[in-house]
Amino acid sequence: MFIEERQIAIEKVLREQGKVRTRELSEMFQVTEDCIRKDLKTLENAGKLKRTYGGAILSQDYPLERDVIDRRNYHVDRKMVIAAKAMTLIKEREAIFLDISTTNIELAKLLAKSKMQLTVVSNMIDILQLLAQNPKITAIGTGGIMYPTVNGFLGSAAIQVIRQYSFDRAFMGSCGIDMMDHTVTTLGVEDGLTKKAAIESSRHKYAVMEREKFYFNESYKFTQLDELDGIITDEFPDQSVQDMLDSLGVTLY
């Protein structure tokens, strides 16, 4: 099989499965993993895919560019699983931070029905509206510059408020993990700096994210993996990823 034919075949597998693994492609086409990596690099340069840790995904595999209104209805069942796991970590009378995240919207729905007395700070309007339904929860908004695409507040004014608090737990949204340098990523600097402030103000820090985000990363790195206490996900990633997280002291939930 010529190189061009193999790359066309890789594209076909990607369209069918949404993601590919370097090792599996190596076995499928009976070539070395280095050959496959070169193929993936060529296809990435052509805008066909995005390389990830151990493989690649389609460039449009995850709707990261969508407004938050659109993302609310994406993988809701998975987000509900993550939210239920996060809920078990929260204790009576704790102060927690809920980052801008459609998964945290599902967590806020559970908190709105809970009987715990809590203080919850958030920079997302959807979350604050849900929490306001529960008189046992003191819901506090950060304020700041309003970003309509995420329906929340980002930037220096929000950061200044966040830094005034000492949180027991922070639940952080993420656009994916860069497994090569062990960082957690998001789309932009304002979101990243706001997330970083919340992490620095919290005793226990968790990323809330679907399994597929272990194989995707974005441009802005807002924290190192070993700064997190855990990652709460709907389904555990591959064993190689689990082993790496374990070596960094990051618990999977």
Side-chain angles (χ1 to χ4, degrees), residues 55-75:
I57 61 173
L58 284 171
S59 295
Q60 288 81 33
D61 183 63
Y62 195 82
L64 295 172
E65 300 293 345
R66 293 182 185 175
D67 288 355
V68 70
I69 294 173
D70 296 324
R71 288 190 285 113
R72 282 190 193 127
N73 299 319
Y74 188 82
H75 287 172

Side-chain angles (χ1 to χ4, degrees), residues 97 121-124 128 140-144 153-154 157-159 161-162 194:
F97 181 82
V121 178
S122 181
N123 56 334
M124 189 174 194
L128 295 168
I140 301 169
T142 63
F153 306 102
L154 300 172
I159 290 170
V161 173
I162 289 169
T194 308

Side-chain angles (χ1 to χ4, degrees), residues 154-199:
L154 300 172
S156 57
I159 290 170
Q160 185 174 1
V161 173
I162 289 169
R163 285 180 172 159
Q164 303 307 308
Y165 289 89
S166 178
F167 303 112
D168 293 292
R169 302 177 198 278
F171 297 91
M172 312 303 299
S174 164
C175 290
I177 288 178
D178 188 333
M179 303 299 288
M180 303 303 291
D181 63 1
H182 305 163
T183 54
V184 190
T185 69
T186 190
L187 278 168
V189 62
E190 293 297 334
D191 185 36
L193 291 174
T194 308
K195 292 177 187 295
K196 186 176 181 64
I199 287 174

Side-chain angles (χ1 to χ4, degrees), residues 77-198:
D77 56 338
R78 302 182 192 181
K79 294 171 184 175
M80 290 173 67
V81 170
I82 298 169
K85 290 181 179 181
M87 190 72 181
T88 65
L89 298 172
I90 299 172
K91 305 295 190 297
E92 179 77 21
R93 296 185 181 277
E94 285 190 333
I96 67 174
F97 181 82
L98 295 186
D99 176 45
I100 290 175
S101 160
T102 51
T103 300
N104 277 342
I105 291 176
E106 298 305 317
L107 176 54
K109 290 177 182 177
L110 296 178
L111 288 171
K113 298 176 182 177
S114 77
K115 296 182 179 179
M116 288 188 288
Q117 186 170 338
L118 300 165
T119 298
V120 184
V121 178
S122 181
N123 56 334
M124 189 174 194
I125 292 174
D126 308 68
I127 291 172
L128 295 168
Q129 289 175 327
L130 287 164
L131 297 177
Q133 301 171 20
N134 188 338
K136 285 186 170 289
I137 293 178
T138 301
I140 301 169
T142 63
I145 297 175
M146 171 68 182
Y147 284 72
T149 55
V150 295
N151 205 28
F153 306 102
L154 300 172
S156 57
I159 290 170
Q160 185 174 1
V161 173
I162 289 169
R163 285 180 172 159
Q164 303 307 308
Y165 289 89
S166 178
F167 303 112
D168 293 292
R169 302 177 198 278
F171 297 91
M172 312 303 299
S174 164
C175 290
I177 288 178
D178 188 333
M179 303 299 288
M180 303 303 291
D181 63 1
H182 305 163
T183 54
V184 190
T185 69
T186 190
L187 278 168
V189 62
E190 293 297 334
D191 185 36
L193 291 174
T194 308
K195 292 177 187 295
K196 186 176 181 64

Side-chain angles (χ1 to χ4, degrees), residues 221-238:
K221 304 169 184 180
F222 66 88
T223 193
Q224 295 289 134
L225 277 170
D226 58 8
E227 292 180 8
L228 297 177
D229 292 276
I231 298 175
I232 309 171
T233 185
D234 57 314
E235 184 180 345
F236 282 10
D238 296 337

